């Protein structure tokens, strides 16, 4: 009688387990790639609705979150009706809500505001550098993830690329915002760094929630709903409904919805990816946005191309090529 517990094709249980682990890492890597592509499309849409001021940045970020909240609510309701929705503990729910608030205020508002100050070719690299560093540091401190030598080398190359991309920050900001000076450069850098920190801490909390088995849609709903409450409610309280209606044209509304649609797909993909791969790996893959948005900024929004942008973009690609490959042991953190 054959043993039904034996893996097919004569594989030993340990070999089959290792192959399955590698498959999960590859799947997570591909899904993270989809996330990066969709986030890039979202950034292109958001670049088209930039305007000055924190209130407008907060309102656009609120509008962008609407599709994500709607879709995740529908998925949670469907899963709840089937009895398959898995909610995290009360402590994790609180952590997700606090993290979501920080993600909205620092990450999304900071990034949207940064786009109006320094354009995509500066704000995206700065935010991605901050995301790589903060995500790696918080991952080590809070959940004990290790950073491999190859990942550390890839991060070093990418951060070098980002520094090169930021060399012409003042002249670039003058061309985009029509003004220059140290204050504008400082504001651009500050918004980009804050955006990365806001996103970096949320990635760690998403990874924690994934390890507890919480449903992806539940995690996304808790994080995204803070945009409606905190950002939308804050702008309404500060400016009133009249200002919102006056400032938001139909074009801006629908572009924000398009950005939100791409963000929804990206958010779901990233949350699924973080179930299978480390925070560092996911953030390295997302760094591909740097090259894509720099090129799009030149081609679509007449942002200036400089020699440092070309060199920095090339180094970005090199940094991504340095990223760890899945091992047969399935342990990508060595």
């Amino acid at each position: 009688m054959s043993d039904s517990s034996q893996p097919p094709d004569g594989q030993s249980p340990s070999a089959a387990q290792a192959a399955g682990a590698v498959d999960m890492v590859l799947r997570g890597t591909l899904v993270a790639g989809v996330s990066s592509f969709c986030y890039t499309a979202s950034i292109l849409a958001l670049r088209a609705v930039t305007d000055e001021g924190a209130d407008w940045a907060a309102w656009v970020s609120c509008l962008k979150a609407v599709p994500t909240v709607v879709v995740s609510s529908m998925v949670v309701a469907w899963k709840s009706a089937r009895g398959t929705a898995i909610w995290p503990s009360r402590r994790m729910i609180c952590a997700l809500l606090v993290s979501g608030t920080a993600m909205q205020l620092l990450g999304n508002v900071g990034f949207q505001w940064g786009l109006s100050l320094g354009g995509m070719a500066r704000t995206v690299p700065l935010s991605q550098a901050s995301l790589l560093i903060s995500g790696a540091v918080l991952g080590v401190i809070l959940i004990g993830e290790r950073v491999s030598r190859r990942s550390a080398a890839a991060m070093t190359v990418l951060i070098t690329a980002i520094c090169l991309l930021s060399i012409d920050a003042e002249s670039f900001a003058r061309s985009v915002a029509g003004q220059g000076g140290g204050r504008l450069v400082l504001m651009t850098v500050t918004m980009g760094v804050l955006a990365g920190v806001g996103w970096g801490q949320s990635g760690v909390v998403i990874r924690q929630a994934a390890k507890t088995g919480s449903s992806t849609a539940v995690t996304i709903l808790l994080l995204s709903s803070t945009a409606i409450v905190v950002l939308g409610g804050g702008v309404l309280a500060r400016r009133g409904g009249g200002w919102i209606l006056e400032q938001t044209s139909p074009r801006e509304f629908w572009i924000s919805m398009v950005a939100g649609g791409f963000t929804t797909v990206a958010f779901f993909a990233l949350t699924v990816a973080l179930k299978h791969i480390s925070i560092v790996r996911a953030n390295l893959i997302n760094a591909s946005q740097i090259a894509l948005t720099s090129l799009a900024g030149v081609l679509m929004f007449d942002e200036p191309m400089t020699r440092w942008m070309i060199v920095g973009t090339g180094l970005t690609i090199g940094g991504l090529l340095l990223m760890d490959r899945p091992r047969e042991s399935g342990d990508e953190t060595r």
Side-chain angles (χ1 to χ4, degrees), residues 47-69:
R47 176 66 174 85
V49 292
T50 54
D51 203 348
E52 296 182 6
D55 288 327
W56 177 252
W59 178 240
V60 170
S61 299
C62 173
L63 287 177
K64 184 189 70 172
V66 170
T68 305
V69 172

Side-chain angles (χ1 to χ4, degrees), residues 11-300:
Q11 281 186 314
S12 66
S14 59
Q17 185 178 10
V22 172
D23 183 62
M24 288 296 99
V25 173
L26 288 172
R27 184 179 302 177
T29 300
L30 291 173
V31 175
V34 172
S35 172
S36 179
F37 177 81
C38 290
Y39 272 132
T40 300
S42 176
I43 291 170
L44 295 180
L46 293 174
R47 176 66 174 85
V49 292
T50 54
D51 203 348
E52 296 182 6
D55 288 327
W56 177 252
W59 178 240
V60 170
S61 299
C62 173
L63 287 177
K64 184 189 70 172
V66 170
T68 305
V69 172
V70 170
V71 172
S72 58
S73 297
M74 293 172 61
V75 174
V76 169
W78 177 65
K79 283 182 170 290
S80 297
R82 299 181 60 191
T84 58
I86 301 175
W87 286 79
S89 64
R90 291 182 180 179
R91 182 178 179 180
M92 182 55 69
I93 289 175
C94 291
L96 285 166
L97 291 175
V98 171
S99 175
T101 301
M103 180 184 74
Q104 303 300 339
L105 292 173
L106 298 179
N108 293 336
V109 175
F111 183 77
Q112 186 65 29
W113 197 356
L115 285 178
S116 68
L117 297 171
M120 292 190 301
R122 291 299 174 269
T123 306
V124 174
L126 288 167
S127 62
Q128 288 297 319
S130 178
L131 172 61
L132 283 169
I133 296 170
S134 61
V137 171
L138 291 174
V140 170
I141 294 173
L142 297 179
I143 58 179
E145 285 197 342
R146 292 178 294 169
V147 180
S148 69
R149 286 189 293 270
R150 285 193 64 156
S151 290
M155 287 175 61
T156 301
V157 172
L158 284 168
I159 292 169
T160 301
I162 289 159
C163 291
L164 293 177
L165 284 165
S166 302
I167 285 177
D168 301 317
E170 182 169 353
S171 61
F172 182 89
R174 184 181 291 108
S175 70
V176 173
Q179 54 183 316
R183 182 177 179 274
L184 183 62
V185 174
L186 179 61
M187 283 289 291
T188 301
V189 172
T190 301
M191 291 302 105
V193 170
L194 289 178
V197 172
W199 293 334
Q201 60 81 31
S202 68
V204 174
V205 177
I206 290 172
R207 179 74 164 156
Q208 287 179 308
K211 288 186 173 183
T212 66
S214 175
S215 297
T216 298
V218 171
T219 299
I220 292 174
L221 176 60
L222 291 171
L223 288 169
S224 299
S225 60
T226 57
I228 308 299
V229 177
V230 176
L231 301 185
V235 174
L236 185 62
R238 276 177 51 83
R239 293 288 193 164
W243 181 88
I244 291 174
L245 292 174
E246 179 183 346
Q247 295 294 317
T248 312
S249 68
R251 172 184 173 274
E252 290 167 328
F253 174 82
W254 287 113
I255 290 178
S256 298
M257 290 298 103
V258 170
F262 280 113
T263 299
T264 301
V265 177
F267 209 164
F268 270 90
L270 178 61
T271 305
V272 170
L274 284 172
K275 291 185 176 183
H276 306 302
I277 60 177
S278 69
I279 295 166
V280 169
R281 187 179 185 84
N283 288 344
L284 284 171
I285 295 169
N286 270 318
S288 62
Q289 297 171 37
I290 299 170
L292 295 172
T293 54
S294 295
L295 181 60
V298 172
L299 297 178
M300 298 177 61

